[in-house]
């Protein structure tokens, strides 16, 4: 497929590498000058392009940027992009990083992103850590394969997105509509907890609206209280425990 990735950070660069190795034609962009972008893209097996060129002649566009940065994108970026093009949003909202954003309250994070972009989006790759994405992929059917959820309103787009997830090394669970995508947001039992497909289905179904932000902020406080950076496994354990604690609270 022809895939454009906006953002070459931890998630965007890992996806670019994986999809180019899988044989897809990948273009990337970020905020750097073209000379720097060329060096980054060469390491990813991708073509460096401006953001305006990235959205042309592609079948999938993956936005993988900080949540607050979407508002800085060129206005009408997707105006001439066909509705058939799959738009994927990997973002998560963290108030300490992204600040208060007018219009976000009361919406699922990706509903807000969809409104900002003026297009329906598929929420995907938001609920696994970059280290998990890079290191823990397995081939289909292998014991202990981790699953992630895909949420959105276009069934055909979700089906194609699921194939990309498989090529990236993970199983997929349907996370429901975009309005329901709060079930895979930070602090929920489905968020960066490294579950298999059955466990993830259960996690999505047990999520309670409004509890995610509490657990998300509790994890951040815990991080700040530690003297050293936790290991990957400790972070997964913290995510699991904060989500389960939040569900016990009235
Ligand atoms: N890291 C994780 O474990 C993880 C896991 C799941 C989801 N996520 C979410 O996925 C998103 C990306 O995360 P990340 O960790 O990959 O972020 P990151 O490492 O900070 O990288 C962000 C990328 O976005 C680019 N960018 C920022 N503003 C831009 C703009 N206006 N136009 C084009 N590119 C722009 C940056 O460009 P420059 O390189 O030029 O600065 C950078 O390449 C975030 O919303 C994050 O919450 C992260």
């Amino acid at each position: 497929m022809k895939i454009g990735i906006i953002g070459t950070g931890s998630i965007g660069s890992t996806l670019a590498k994986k999809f180019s190795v899988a044989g897809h034609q990948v273009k990337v962009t970020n905020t750097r000058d073209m000379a720097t972008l060329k060096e980054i893209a060469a390491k990813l097996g991708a073509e460096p392009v401006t953001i305006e060129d990235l959205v042309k002649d592609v079948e999938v566009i993956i936005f993988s940027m900080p949540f607050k940065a979407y508002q800085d994108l060129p206005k009408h970026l997707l105006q001439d992009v066909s509705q058939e093009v799959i738009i994927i949003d990997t973002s998560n909202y963290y108030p300490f990083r992204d600040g208060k954003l007018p219009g976000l309250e009361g919406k699922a994070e990706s509903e807000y992103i969809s409104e900002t972009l003026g297009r329906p989006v598929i929420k995907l790759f938001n609920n696994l850590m970059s280290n998990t994405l890079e290191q823990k992929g397995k081939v289909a059917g292998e014991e202990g394969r981790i699953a992630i959820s895909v949420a959105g309103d276009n069934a055909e787009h979700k089906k194609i997105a699921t194939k990309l997830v498989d090529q990236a090394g993970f199983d997929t669970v349907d996370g429901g509509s975009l309005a329901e995508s709060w079930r895979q947001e930070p602090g929920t039992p489905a968020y960066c907890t490294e579950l298999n497909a059955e466990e993830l289905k259960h996690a999505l179904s047990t999520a309670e609206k409004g509890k995610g932000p509490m657990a998300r902020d509790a994890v951040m406080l815990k991080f700040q209280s530690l003297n050293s950076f936790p290991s990957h496994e400790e972070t997964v354990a913290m995510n699991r425990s904060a989500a389960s604690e939040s569900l016990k609270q009235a």
Side-chain angles (χ1 to χ4, degrees), residues 90-108:
T90 77
S91 71
N92 290 304
Y93 173 65
Y94 279 92
F96 81 93
R97 180 189 67 185
D98 301 308
K100 214 168 159 47
L101 294 170
L104 171 60
E105 208 175 320
K107 292 181 192 127

Side-chain angles (χ1 to χ4, degrees), residues 10-245:
S10 313
I11 295 292
S13 63
T14 306
L15 290 176
K17 262 189 269 176
K18 284 189 178 246
F19 292 146
S20 98
V21 167
H24 298 292
Q25 239 175 287
V26 181
K27 300 195 267 189
V28 290
T29 199
N30 58 21
T31 66
R32 315 296 170 97
D33 58 78
M34 194 42 83
T36 312
L37 177 61
K38 268 186 188 161
E39 285 172 25
I40 293 169
K43 291 185 192 140
L44 305 176
E47 183 190 354
V49 290
T50 62
I51 198 162
E52 287 78 12
D53 284 340
L54 187 132
V55 302
K56 290 179 193 153
D57 191 27
V58 278
E59 295 157 285
V60 179
I61 301 172
I62 302 176
F63 286 86
S64 194
M65 311 174 354
F67 198 83
K68 69 172 178 207
Y70 284 70
Q71 60 197 358
D72 304 330
L73 288 166
K75 298 285 165 241
H76 315 301
L77 178 67
L78 302 178
Q79 187 172 261
D80 297 327
V81 174
S82 154
Q83 291 294 328
E84 283 171 23
V85 174
I86 302 167
I87 312 290
I88 293 176
D89 167 36
T90 77
S91 71
N92 290 304
Y93 173 65
Y94 279 92
F96 81 93
R97 180 189 67 185
D98 301 308
K100 214 168 159 47
L101 294 170
L104 171 60
E105 208 175 320
K107 292 181 192 127
E109 292 169 11
S110 286
E111 286 185 300
Y112 170 88
I113 294 297
S114 169
E115 279 179 24
T116 306
L117 294 175
R119 280 286 291 258
V121 300
I122 299 294
K123 187 175 188 72
L124 183 60
F125 295 117
N126 82 296
N127 64 336
L128 82 178
M129 283 185 279
S130 59
N131 185 281
T132 312
L133 178 64
E134 195 177 2
Q135 309 283 340
K136 296 204 169 179
K138 294 186 178 204
V139 293
E142 202 179 334
E143 178 79 27
R145 199 183 203 212
I146 293 169
I148 59 174
S149 38
V150 55
D153 302 328
N154 185 316
E156 188 53 32
H157 286 190
K158 282 163 95 169
K159 210 162 119 189
I160 297 166
T162 296
K163 287 190 187 148
L164 291 175
V165 174
D166 181 46
Q167 290 172 352
F170 300 88
D171 283 338
T172 311
V173 167
D174 188 349
S177 67
L178 205 61
E180 273 189 289
S181 65
W182 58 267
R183 292 178 184 276
Q184 65 190 66
E185 287 178 1
T188 61
Y191 184 73
C192 298
T193 41
E194 298 197 344
L195 306 175
N196 67 26
E198 278 314 305
E199 292 165 339
L200 180 56
K201 270 183 213 162
H202 179 70
L204 288 164
S205 72
T206 55
E208 287 178 34
K209 209 165 189 175
K211 297 269 176 92
M214 277 165 56
R216 172 199 67 200
D217 295 345
V219 170
M220 283 299 119
L221 281 175
K222 180 99 187 164
F223 257 110
Q224 285 162 12
S225 72
L226 298 172
N227 292 323
S228 57
F229 204 74
S231 69
H232 177 77
E233 301 310 330
E234 285 166 343
T235 306
V236 172
M238 269 159 55
N239 287 339
R240 288 181 179 178
S241 137
S244 105
E245 280 307 311

